[in-house]
Amino acid sequence: MTKRPLGAQISHMLKDRGVDTIFGIPGVHNVEMYRGIEEAGITHVLARHEQGAGFMADGYARAAGRPGVAYVITGPGVCNIMTPMGQAYSDSVPMLVISSCLDETAATRGQLHQMKDQRAAAETVCDWSEEARTAKAAYQLIDRALLEFDVARPRPKHIQVPIELLGTDAPDFPSGGEGDGRLHHADAIEGIVLPYLRQAKRPLVIFGAGAKTENARMMVEKIGAACFSTYAARGIVGDDYPLDFGATLSYASSADVVASADLVIAIGTELAAVDIQRNHLGHSCPMIRVDIDPECLFDQQRAEVRVHADAADFVDLVIELSDDGAATDWTSDEVAAARAKWRAEADAAYPGIIPICDALRDALPDDTMIYSDMTQIAYVAKEIWPMKYPGHWHHPYGFGTLGYALPAAIGGKIGVGDKPVAAIMGDYGFHYTMQELGVAVELGLNIPIVLWDNAKLKEIEDCMVQSQIAPNAVFARNPDFCKLAEAFGAKAAAPGSLAELQDAVQAAFAADGPTLIHVTPDILG
């Protein structure tokens, strides 16, 4: 047996379970957690703020397909990472936050970093938050979190460990378990689902981010289905499937398309309000709902058939068991016409943004991991920008927090190594986490950072005008962003045309560090 302080044992256990990177900031309350990081062979990424550490862990998890892990201190460290935890909860991202906590709070007041109830505070924005009061409990909670990331809907977990316990010698952690804990309900496919498929002439499949499978395209082709995807599932069938309506469920007239289907199959999606922008999807035909999260199977969409199963298993069984050569009444012309209509609506709502999106798309390699913030370029792009591969556009979809893109892109770049990563953000969102640019410089990460600067909170201004409110508090004095980037040690560019924008993006991928690309409405001439 190897006796080490528990803080060191935790790092060794995480390494044994496959964790290779931890994001965080050390402090006097969690210093024991740092004792074993290097010895265990784990890379630690020093963020400039705990919010940045959380977003980096989120971005790493989305890009690498492995849980993102963060170490933070008691009190303000936990509070600072709660925004990223809330975002990860909303978007079903596997993030494990491990923090220290005070040994005793009930009888002693005025301690450093003291909160009334730190564990309960964290629980408001994550799947669960637990305190480990023994080494055995810490080990069990870590394994529980990692297992649940695999077998259930992946959402952030928080484990806190008392400061004294972290520095106390602890026995070895148990060896890792093996086996596949995924859920399988195969009997529902052949006995219940196939009869619906055999009768349908206009089946419509809606893929969500939970539909993690390489065979989505094969399934829709085999059953003759048209499809939509949620924003987070873009690219799941490829960008050239002729019956793909894209991530356009938010358009009001998409309800008419849904209403024309004679069978709807929703796979791995909660059909969230941020995706469909209405209470009911719009179908009057039978619905088959497939999800690993039972909560999604019993919502207001009123599915006739509820399949509690892993999405990939369901898709594979449909392919295996359904009939070949299914006839379909869907046509590529009606799909193309609908997409053209919605693209025109986006262009009318956000004049000038689509040409910028098109120019960026042409300049980025197809396999670029893109991280976007709450900004108008992203609002348009996530609807009209076709994606060739799934899981390559990451956005703070549900929680909708500003400041996500830059630190998340840093985490994503660390997760994918030499593969291309880009960030897209607005001027105001950059203010939230701009300090993390120092991390990208320090690590030499060649990330193009496209900063859309319209010198205002334009989306909020438009909302105020639509609400007949005189625009107020929508202007903030911006710095010279290029000089600011250069002060950090980053490169900077201010393209004056779309062609120069494309050149700047391509040059950024060849650089030896990050490049901030400052884009204003003047780029359109």
Side-chain angles (χ1 to χ4, degrees):
M1 295 185 62
T2 306
K3 279 219 167 190
R4 305 182 182 95
L6 178 58
Q9 291 282 37
I10 287 172
S11 292
H12 280 269
M13 180 179 181
L14 291 171
K15 178 65 174 180
D16 180 76
R17 302 305 197 255
V19 174
D20 58 15
T21 305
I22 291 173
F23 303 89
I25 301 175
V28 294
H29 276 190
N30 71 345
V31 67
E32 285 293 339
M33 293 163 62
Y34 281 75
R35 185 184 296 277
I37 291 179
E38 290 187 5
E39 183 184 63
I42 292 177
T43 297
H44 181 271
V45 177
L46 176 63
R48 300 303 188 261
H49 188 286
E50 287 91 358
Q51 186 181 81
F55 286 143
M56 289 176 198
D58 174 301
Y60 174 94
R62 298 193 199 206
R66 299 187 296 275
V69 180
Y71 281 179
V72 297
I73 62 165
T74 316
V78 174
C79 289
N80 286 340
I81 205 170
M82 283 174 62
T83 295
M85 289 167 69
Q87 187 63 62
Y89 182 88
S90 179
D91 289 347
S92 301
V93 176
M95 179 196 297
L96 176 58
V97 175
I98 302 179
S99 75
S100 54
C101 66
L102 294 172
D103 300 304
E104 184 279 318
T105 57
T108 307
R109 300 299 183 191
Q111 300 178 80
L112 178 65
H113 301 332
Q114 186 165 10
M115 294 177 65
K116 291 178 68 176
D117 194 336
Q118 174 180 291
R119 186 210 60 77
E123 192 169 49
T124 62
V125 289
C126 65
D127 191 19
W128 50 256
S129 173
E130 299 289 354
E131 181 173 334
R133 298 176 184 174
T134 65
K136 181 180 179 181
Y139 300 153
Q140 288 179 339
L141 287 169
I142 290 170
D143 270 340
R144 174 188 168 190
L146 297 177
L147 177 64
E148 288 180 7
F149 289 147
D150 285 337
V151 305
R153 185 174 186 173
R155 278 176 155 164
K157 330 286 184 185
H158 169 244
I159 301 170
Q160 63 181 34
V161 186
I163 297 168
E164 184 176 350
L165 182 60
L166 285 169
T168 302
D169 281 351
D172 272 344
F173 50 87
S175 60
E178 297 180 356
D180 183 358
R182 292 184 303 169
L183 300 174
H184 301 273
H185 286 226
D187 56 334
I189 309 295
E190 193 162 12
I192 302 173
V193 173
L194 287 185
Y196 280 99
L197 286 174
R198 287 169 179 152
Q199 294 175 15
K201 297 300 181 186
R202 286 176 68 86
L204 179 65
V205 180
I206 300 173
F207 290 107
K212 292 180 172 66
T213 172
E214 297 177 352
N215 296 327
R217 174 72 169 263
M218 189 182 303
M219 174 187 156
V220 292
E221 287 179 337
K222 188 164 187 182
I223 66 175
C227 61
F228 283 92
S229 65
T230 63
Y231 295 134
R234 290 160 59 213
I236 194 167
V237 295
D239 62 354
D240 59 347
Y241 180 57
L243 298 182
D244 179 18
F245 285 99
T248 51
L249 285 168
S250 63
Y251 290 92
S253 57
S254 70
D256 298 330
V257 174
V258 175
S260 73
D262 58 6
L263 175 67
V264 172
I265 307 173
I267 305 176
T269 171
E270 61 182 341
L271 296 173
V274 293
D275 282 303
I276 68 175
Q277 296 295 315
R278 51 186 181 270
N279 292 328
H280 191 259
L281 184 63
H283 61 289
S284 57
C285 62
M287 172 183 276
I288 297 170
R289 201 73 183 269
V290 183
D291 213 284
I292 202 170
D293 184 353
E295 182 180 350
C296 291
L297 301 176
F298 294 89
D299 64 4
Q300 60 190 341
Q301 305 304 329
R302 302 185 306 276
E304 282 74 15
V305 178
R306 303 177 180 97
V307 183
H308 186 206
D310 180 273
D313 295 333
F314 177 86
V315 168
D316 289 347
L317 283 166
V318 168
I319 293 169
E320 176 186 343
L321 298 174
S322 59
D323 301 327
D324 291 324
T328 180
D329 288 347
W330 295 105
T331 68
S332 58
D333 287 345
E334 67 177 305
V335 175
R339 295 195 66 159
K341 176 178 181 293
W342 296 327
R343 181 181 171 94
E345 289 181 16
D347 194 34
Y350 298 97
I353 299 295
I354 286 182
I356 297 173
C357 291
D358 289 343
L360 284 172
R361 181 171 185 259
D362 290 342
L364 295 176
D366 288 339
D367 61 344
T368 303
M369 286 279 179
I370 302 170
Y371 290 84
S372 59
D373 220 302
M374 300 296 287
T375 182
Q376 289 187 329
I377 287 184
Y379 303 154
V380 174
K382 64 186 180 154
E383 294 173 350
I384 62 92
W385 184 318
M387 297 296 293
K388 188 171 184 177
Y389 304 109
H392 278 62
W393 190 297
H394 308 288
H395 182 80
Y397 297 107
F399 210 39
T401 177
L402 281 163
Y404 170 81
L406 176 58
I410 292 170
K413 181 62 177 174
I414 293 169
V416 300
D418 292 336
K419 294 182 180 178
V421 172
I424 298 173
M425 66 199 69
D427 52 337
Y428 204 79
F430 184 62
H431 279 278
Y432 272 55
T433 51
M434 68 170 71
Q435 67 275 4
E436 306 304 342
L437 184 59
V439 180
V441 172
E442 190 173 274
L443 299 180
L445 304 179
N446 58 333
I447 302 171
I449 301 165
V450 179
L451 192 154
W452 170 243
D453 178 10
N454 53 18
K456 63 176 71 175
L457 291 164
K458 184 65 168 62
E459 187 75 6
I460 310 306
E461 181 186 52
D462 291 347
C463 180
M464 287 180 171
V465 171
Q466 291 166 8
S467 301
Q468 297 184 339
I469 299 171
N472 183 22
V474 295
F475 297 94
R477 181 180 177 86
N478 282 332
D480 184 320
F481 286 113
C482 289
K483 289 182 178 178
L484 178 65
E486 290 168 349
F488 272 104
K491 294 177 174 57
S497 66
L498 295 179
E500 290 180 6
L501 170 62
Q502 293 175 320
D503 290 341
V505 169
Q506 291 165 359
F509 282 124
D512 56 2
T515 303
L516 187 140
I517 302 171
H518 184 226
V519 181
T520 72
D522 292 340
I523 199 170
L524 299 172

